[in-house]
Amino acid sequence: MKILWFMFLELLSSALSLDNGLALTPPMGWLTWQRFRCITDCKKYPEECISESLIKRTTDIMAKEGYLAAGYNYVVIDDCWLEKKRDANNRMVADRQRFPSGIKALADYVHGKGLKLGIYQDYGTKTCAGYPGVLGYEEIDVKTFAEWDVDYIKLDGCNVDPSKYDTGYPAFGKLLNETGRPIVYSCSWPAYQDNPNYSSIAKYCNLWRNYEDIDDSWASVKNIMQWFAENQDELVRYAGPGHWNDPDMLVIGNFGLSLDQARVQMAVWSILAAPLLMSVDLATIRPEFKEVLLNEDVIAVNQDPLGKQGMRVWTGSDCEIWNRELADGSYAIAFVSLREDGAPFTLEASFDDMKISKKIYKVKDLYNDEKTTFCDIQGKFETRINPTGVRFYKFTPICI
Ligand SMILES: *[C@@H]1O[C@H](CO)[C@@H](O)[C@H](O)[C@H]1NC(C)=O
Ligand SMILES: *[C@@H]1O[C@H](CO)[C@@H](O)[C@H](O)[C@H]1NC(C)=O
């Protein structure tokens, strides 16, 4: 009965979700916003301003230094790329100083390196940073994006009456579809609403920002984790191949997270089947953070083909257990400590705590701190977690 019900839900979910063949696993890439915000003064901050040189530099590094090979294939320009005025034909114009070659040439460059180009716009009259938005120009803008060979649109929701989202975002998605160009559609629609209609959102968007913008701090990462856990019963129903909840960018490698905290974000975002959108200066990132971003085993959890979003399944002693079911019958299980008292904390978890059945498991430590261990049928699983840190394992049943 339970199995039939699941099959029914799966059918329902595939019938009612966006069918553009894209984002069958959570999108991976790099986005300007969290690290570079709206830095537009290229004289003062030549390495950081939102510009074609930043995008090209990042594209080169992604192609050369293993990021593309690991799966990070979208490079996305967030807000602050536009001129403040449209041209005489009402077309958007990229900032003439900072993007002198224009977006089409930039897309060609990015494609030439084997990556895809994403770009930001806003459903309102203006973007959140005050540049021209699409409202009133939707058709011409979608046509322009397609002509520029853009592969991914992040559509924000500033400066528009929230009652317009429920019809506006689908209408914009329909225009994208009509271009015939495969374009990933990232929506900010639910982040601006109190009671979002997720069945509609999952039908029209490949990914959607549910909640507040992330900041470069542990407090922000923790707050987002908490919100996703509190709302997980509702949210997990809408995640699956082609359509994903988006807890926002990875802030790994910037100023605010310790290495342990960076590992927590990477682990929990993987359990959440979240888009992995780095926002960091890849030219200066420290090697230990790069290693976290490029961890193949953790990325494999994130990109698991079953596409089932995991959940927080236990809390206690200021620690949390997160569990995600994987396509091969394994479970990815993260033991997170929110403790700040000092000395690694020893956590003992029962099979019930971890929400897995009593079997013998091969246990692999995904951050490679420990060798493979075996978990006995009777036994409890014991692990030792650093303050504001994580131990992240894959549990694979080896006996029935
Ligand atoms: C447009 O929508 C149809 C129907 O859902 C789908 O089959 C097709 O792949 C979509 N095309 C693009 C380019 O998104
Ligand atoms: C959600 O949107 C769908 C259309 O996609 C509609 O059929 C349904 O009635 C909406 N639900 C609510 C609660 O408004």
PDB file of all heavy atoms in Angstrom, residues 166 197-201 203-204, ligand 2:
ATOM      1  N   ASP A 166       2.108  34.758  -8.703  1.00  0.00           N
ATOM      2  CA  ASP A 166       1.487  33.469  -9.034  1.00  0.00           C
ATOM      3  C   ASP A 166       1.141  33.347 -10.518  1.00  0.00           C
ATOM      4  O   ASP A 166       1.033  32.241 -11.041  1.00  0.00           O
ATOM      5  CB  ASP A 166       0.233  33.232  -8.183  1.00  0.00           C
ATOM      6  CG  ASP A 166       0.594  32.885  -6.740  1.00  0.00           C
ATOM      7  OD1 ASP A 166       1.800  32.668  -6.460  1.00  0.00           O
ATOM      8  OD2 ASP A 166      -0.313  32.835  -5.885  1.00  0.00           O
ATOM      9  N   ASN A 197       2.450  28.630  -3.136  1.00  0.00           N
ATOM     10  CA  ASN A 197       1.783  27.480  -3.755  1.00  0.00           C
ATOM     11  C   ASN A 197       2.867  26.639  -4.442  1.00  0.00           C
ATOM     12  O   ASN A 197       3.145  26.783  -5.626  1.00  0.00           O
ATOM     13  CB  ASN A 197       0.749  28.002  -4.767  1.00  0.00           C
ATOM     14  CG  ASN A 197       0.001  26.876  -5.442  1.00  0.00           C
ATOM     15  OD1 ASN A 197       0.428  25.725  -5.425  1.00  0.00           O
ATOM     16  ND2 ASN A 197      -1.135  27.219  -6.039  1.00  0.00           N
ATOM     17  N   TYR A 198       3.457  25.736  -3.651  1.00  0.00           N
ATOM     18  CA  TYR A 198       4.608  24.993  -4.164  1.00  0.00           C
ATOM     19  C   TYR A 198       4.256  24.060  -5.309  1.00  0.00           C
ATOM     20  O   TYR A 198       5.103  23.764  -6.146  1.00  0.00           O
ATOM     21  CB  TYR A 198       5.303  24.214  -3.035  1.00  0.00           C
ATOM     22  CG  TYR A 198       6.239  25.073  -2.218  1.00  0.00           C
ATOM     23  CD1 TYR A 198       5.961  25.391  -0.898  1.00  0.00           C
ATOM     24  CD2 TYR A 198       7.413  25.574  -2.784  1.00  0.00           C
ATOM     25  CE1 TYR A 198       6.826  26.180  -0.152  1.00  0.00           C
ATOM     26  CE2 TYR A 198       8.282  26.362  -2.054  1.00  0.00           C
ATOM     27  CZ  TYR A 198       7.989  26.662  -0.738  1.00  0.00           C
ATOM     28  OH  TYR A 198       8.851  27.439  -0.016  1.00  0.00           O
ATOM     29  N   SER A 199       3.010  23.580  -5.363  1.00  0.00           N
ATOM     30  CA  SER A 199       2.732  22.686  -6.491  1.00  0.00           C
ATOM     31  C   SER A 199       2.808  23.468  -7.790  1.00  0.00           C
ATOM     32  O   SER A 199       3.274  22.957  -8.808  1.00  0.00           O
ATOM     33  CB  SER A 199       1.420  21.913  -6.340  1.00  0.00           C
ATOM     34  OG  SER A 199       0.427  22.743  -5.843  1.00  0.00           O
ATOM     35  N   SER A 200       2.385  24.711  -7.739  1.00  0.00           N
ATOM     36  CA  SER A 200       2.496  25.543  -8.931  1.00  0.00           C
ATOM     37  C   SER A 200       3.966  25.920  -9.209  1.00  0.00           C
ATOM     38  O   SER A 200       4.431  25.868 -10.348  1.00  0.00           O
ATOM     39  CB  SER A 200       1.633  26.793  -8.742  1.00  0.00           C
ATOM     40  OG  SER A 200       1.654  27.573  -9.888  1.00  0.00           O
ATOM     41  N   ILE A 201       4.694  26.252  -8.164  1.00  0.00           N
ATOM     42  CA  ILE A 201       6.100  26.659  -8.317  1.00  0.00           C
ATOM     43  C   ILE A 201       6.934  25.520  -8.926  1.00  0.00           C
ATOM     44  O   ILE A 201       7.722  25.731  -9.847  1.00  0.00           O
ATOM     45  CB  ILE A 201       6.658  27.114  -6.951  1.00  0.00           C
ATOM     46  CG1 ILE A 201       5.981  28.427  -6.546  1.00  0.00           C
ATOM     47  CG2 ILE A 201       8.173  27.271  -6.989  1.00  0.00           C
ATOM     48  CD1 ILE A 201       6.083  28.786  -5.084  1.00  0.00           C
ATOM     49  N   LYS A 203       5.913  23.269 -10.764  1.00  0.00           N
ATOM     50  CA  LYS A 203       5.466  23.006 -12.127  1.00  0.00           C
ATOM     51  C   LYS A 203       6.133  23.965 -13.122  1.00  0.00           C
ATOM     52  O   LYS A 203       6.280  23.650 -14.295  1.00  0.00           O
ATOM     53  CB  LYS A 203       3.945  23.177 -12.157  1.00  0.00           C
ATOM     54  CG  LYS A 203       3.268  22.852 -13.448  1.00  0.00           C
ATOM     55  CD  LYS A 203       1.760  22.841 -13.223  1.00  0.00           C
ATOM     56  CE  LYS A 203       1.035  23.008 -14.539  1.00  0.00           C
ATOM     57  NZ  LYS A 203      -0.397  23.259 -14.323  1.00  0.00           N
ATOM     58  N   TYR A 204       6.530  25.132 -12.649  1.00  0.00           N
ATOM     59  CA  TYR A 204       7.050  26.140 -13.585  1.00  0.00           C
ATOM     60  C   TYR A 204       8.531  26.462 -13.431  1.00  0.00           C
ATOM     61  O   TYR A 204       9.098  27.111 -14.295  1.00  0.00           O
ATOM     62  CB  TYR A 204       6.234  27.430 -13.459  1.00  0.00           C
ATOM     63  CG  TYR A 204       4.818  27.249 -13.944  1.00  0.00           C
ATOM     64  CD1 TYR A 204       3.758  27.133 -13.057  1.00  0.00           C
ATOM     65  CD2 TYR A 204       4.557  27.158 -15.316  1.00  0.00           C
ATOM     66  CE1 TYR A 204       2.455  26.935 -13.513  1.00  0.00           C
ATOM     67  CE2 TYR A 204       3.266  26.962 -15.775  1.00  0.00           C
ATOM     68  CZ  TYR A 204       2.221  26.847 -14.878  1.00  0.00           C
ATOM     69  OH  TYR A 204       0.962  26.643 -15.329  1.00  0.00           O
TER      70      TYR A 204
HETATM   71  C1  LIG B   2      -1.936  26.252  -6.728  1.00  0.00           C
HETATM   72  O1  LIG B   2      -1.766  26.435  -8.122  1.00  0.00           O
HETATM   73  C2  LIG B   2      -2.480  25.506  -8.926  1.00  0.00           C
HETATM   74  C3  LIG B   2      -2.165  25.835 -10.369  1.00  0.00           C
HETATM   75  O2  LIG B   2      -0.898  25.462 -10.701  1.00  0.00           O
HETATM   76  C4  LIG B   2      -3.977  25.611  -8.666  1.00  0.00           C
HETATM   77  O3  LIG B   2      -4.650  24.620  -9.401  1.00  0.00           O
HETATM   78  C5  LIG B   2      -4.246  25.455  -7.190  1.00  0.00           C
HETATM   79  O4  LIG B   2      -5.621  25.712  -6.932  1.00  0.00           O
HETATM   80  C6  LIG B   2      -3.391  26.425  -6.370  1.00  0.00           C
HETATM   81  N1  LIG B   2      -3.597  26.148  -4.954  1.00  0.00           N
HETATM   82  C7  LIG B   2      -3.944  27.076  -4.095  1.00  0.00           C
HETATM   83  C8  LIG B   2      -4.086  26.650  -2.666  1.00  0.00           C
HETATM   84  O5  LIG B   2      -4.156  28.229  -4.429  1.00  0.00           O
END
